[in-house]
Amino acid sequence: MGQIFLSGGVNANKTKKLDEIFLKGITKSGRMLYIPVAMPREAFSYGECFEWICAVFPKLGYLHIDMWTDLKNRSSKELNKYSAIYIGGGNTFSLLNDIRKNGFDKQLALYLKKGGVVYGGSAGAIIFGKSIKTAGFGGDADKNNVGLRNFKGMNLVKGLSVQCHYTKNDDLEMFRFVKEFRSNVLALPDETGIYSKNGKWKVVGDKSAYLFTSDHKIELKHGSELFD
């Protein structure tokens, strides 16, 4: 199994710690694939998205970035030439719909099985949880404008759903979610992320992450292991 990096936000100033660890694990001579399809086109053009990521990673010493704005008919052979894949933020419902209808979820799973490295920011992080319905609440709630009916994510975070842009104002909705959907939630502030290595998940960031169960809110500080 490869490595997964999940960030609570996509602000480069807030995700630097996770970004640096991410880059240490990939080949600098290789290429990174950037997928911004979650971003609503009325908010930013793909050109602006590419300018953003090209401003983030060269500062950290990585220059080789390609962008895909269409996931149709993509093959494992195409993915395998990339040292890492970065899936950006935007609308989570639209992103999962696009990924699923094009069979890209299967391609991603195979890429990871072969040892690939994937980074998901915001919406790109939520899709790796058990359910993406966490995207529908909180201060930055996404709208299900694509009419998605199947809210199952890729479920690669040990059975947890993932919530991004977390603040303490989300707590009541979080407990409600856990009870209604029977899924514990890992809540990530903008400044915080997690990453997997050798079967372990570690918290990275300037703020704590929180694990919500039916009756507990568990603080996970920087450096904490999510699973023993």
Side-chain angles (χ1 to χ4, degrees), residues 34-47:
Y34 173 47
I35 300 175
V37 298
M39 184 60 68
R41 297 300 299 277
E42 64 271 15
F44 295 98
S45 69
Y46 287 141

Side-chain angles (χ1 to χ4, degrees), residues 19-109:
D19 295 349
E20 288 176 340
I21 297 172
F22 165 64
L23 289 184
K24 285 179 182 177
I26 63 179
T27 306
K28 292 293 181 69
S29 60
R31 304 197 70 81
M32 180 195 304
L33 174 61
Y34 173 47
I35 300 175
V37 298
M39 184 60 68
R41 297 300 299 277
E42 64 271 15
F44 295 98
S45 69
Y46 287 141
E48 289 173 306
C49 291
F50 193 65
E51 287 177 6
W52 172 79
I53 200 163
C54 286
V56 172
F57 287 104
K59 292 178 181 177
L60 300 175
Y62 198 94
L63 300 173
H64 312 295
I65 303 171
D66 295 337
M67 179 172 70
W68 286 0
T69 59
D70 188 344
L71 300 180
K72 292 179 182 177
N73 301 316
R74 298 297 185 178
S75 68
S76 298
K77 185 177 180 180
E78 287 180 282
L79 283 184
N80 289 340
K81 68 181 182 180
Y82 291 104
S83 297
I85 300 171
Y86 186 108
I87 304 174
N91 186 291
T92 312
F93 300 102
S94 175
L95 175 61
L96 185 60
N97 183 62
D98 200 2
I99 284 175
R100 189 179 285 147
K101 75 179 182 181
N102 288 298
F104 196 69
D105 51 342
K106 297 179 178 63
Q107 301 296 345
L108 274 178

Side-chain angles (χ1 to χ4, degrees), residues 2-20:
Q3 283 188 274
I4 303 174
F5 293 77
L6 304 179
S7 172
V10 290
N11 184 313
N13 294 324
K14 297 180 178 180
T15 61
K16 187 177 180 181
K17 288 181 179 178
L18 185 67
D19 295 349
E20 288 176 340

Side-chain angles (χ1 to χ4, degrees), residues 127-183:
I127 62 168
F128 286 95
K130 182 178 179 181
S131 170
I132 71 159
K133 292 207 79 173
T134 51
F137 63 83
D140 294 289
D142 291 345
K143 303 297 182 184
N144 185 9
N145 296 324
V146 293
L148 189 70
R149 294 185 179 182
N150 180 355
F151 303 105
K152 292 180 180 179
M154 295 188 67
N155 200 17
L156 295 178
V157 194
K158 301 291 186 179
L160 298 174
S161 296
V162 177
Q163 196 239 6
C164 294
H165 311 294
Y166 165 77
T167 72
K168 63 181 181 180
N169 295 329
D170 300 328
D171 285 8
L172 288 178
E173 282 188 283
M174 213 83 73
F175 282 119
R176 250 186 247 119
F177 177 93
V178 171
K179 290 178 181 178
E180 182 176 352
F181 297 102
R182 298 181 180 178
S183 171

